[in-house]
């Protein structure tokens, strides 16, 4: 699949690199994106889709008929509010307190772009957390440093083991890349 294509993953996320590698697709990682800013008024699915497309824009000058760029952005959505990556440990604790004992959405926007063509989509997964104690939140933030994760958690880490009661949708989407859906898009390329 994708023989003769130069496939670029435009992400510095180690989880996205791991997930894309699991599809047995040869790719390189090249990050050209800057600050992630979206217009006011966007909500839910619109935010990560806008950001994934914005990230892909940085590669437009590299596009030829045999280059394919994959970019993505993941957010957590709860009560009409976006939870991105925390800036401080206290913000991480606050996010985890908000998610504790509740169901939230993990939404990933993905953009696959080649010369003159683009396929962009979102994937949404419902995640239900058990009630977390202050000690559990503190332990996770201190030991796992979730500063690079939307919503301040990695489902594949300790907090996912002890805190996630239920997932409806793609587990891999919660990790940051809905690989099953992406595979379908790439198959049709």
């Amino acid at each position: 699949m994708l023989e003769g294509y130069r496939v670029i993953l435009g992400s510095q996320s180690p989880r996205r690199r791991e997930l894309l590698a699991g599809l047995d697709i040869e790719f390189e990682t090249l990050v050209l994106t800057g600050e992630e800013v979206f217009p006011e008024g966007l909500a839910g699915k619109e935010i990560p889709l806008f950001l994934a497309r914005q990230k892909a824009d940085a590669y437009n000058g590299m596009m030829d008929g045999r280059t394919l760029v994959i970019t993505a952005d993941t957010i957590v959505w709860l009560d009409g509010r976006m939870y991105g990556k925390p800036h401080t440990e206290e913000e991480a604790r606050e996010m985890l307190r908000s998610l504790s004992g509740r169901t939230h959405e993990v939404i990933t926007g993905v953009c696959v772009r080649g010369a003159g063509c683009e396929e962009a989509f979102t994937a949404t997964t419902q995640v239900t957390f058990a009630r977390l104690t202050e000690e559990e939140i503190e332990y996770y933030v201190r030991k796992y440093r979730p500063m690079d994760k939307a919503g301040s958690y990695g489902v594949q880490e300790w907090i996912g083991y002890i805190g996630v009661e239920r997932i409806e949708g793609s587990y891999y989407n919660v990790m940051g890349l809905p690989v099953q859906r992406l595979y379908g898009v790439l198959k049709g390329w």
Side-chain angles (χ1 to χ4, degrees), residues 59-135:
Y59 300 85
N60 284 345
M62 300 174 63
M63 289 298 159
D64 59 35
R66 304 309 292 169
T67 300
L68 194 64
V69 173
I70 302 167
T71 56
D73 194 82
T74 301
I75 66 165
V76 167
W77 189 256
L78 176 66
D79 295 335
R81 179 177 168 208
M82 183 193 89
Y83 293 76
K85 297 173 187 170
H87 297 100
T88 65
E89 286 187 358
E90 185 50 39
E91 187 179 5
R93 288 182 200 95
E94 288 173 18
M95 286 184 188
L96 291 170
R97 285 183 200 114
S98 295
L99 301 177
S100 175
R102 309 212 31 224
T103 300
H104 61 274
E105 293 181 320
V106 177
I107 309 168
T108 301
V110 179
C111 183
V112 180
R113 189 176 290 171
C117 53
E118 172 185 291
E119 178 98 24
F121 63 89
T122 61
T124 302
T125 304
Q126 304 282 326
V127 180
T128 302
F129 261 88
R131 180 107 7 236
L132 301 171
T133 67
E134 281 299 315
E135 293 78 22

Side-chain angles (χ1 to χ4, degrees), residues 13-16 18-19 74 106 127 129 140 144-146 148-150 152-164 167 171-177:
S13 164
R15 291 160 303 281
R16 287 195 185 111
E18 175 189 340
L19 290 169
T74 301
V106 177
V127 180
F129 261 88
Y140 179 69
Y144 289 88
R145 307 260 184 239
D148 67 336
K149 297 171 181 77
S152 300
Y153 77 92
V155 70
Q156 72 282 3
E157 297 175 337
W158 181 82
I159 198 90
Y161 298 164
I162 65 105
V164 174
I167 294 178
Y171 172 83
Y172 299 110
N173 181 53
V174 182
M175 284 182 66
L177 194 63

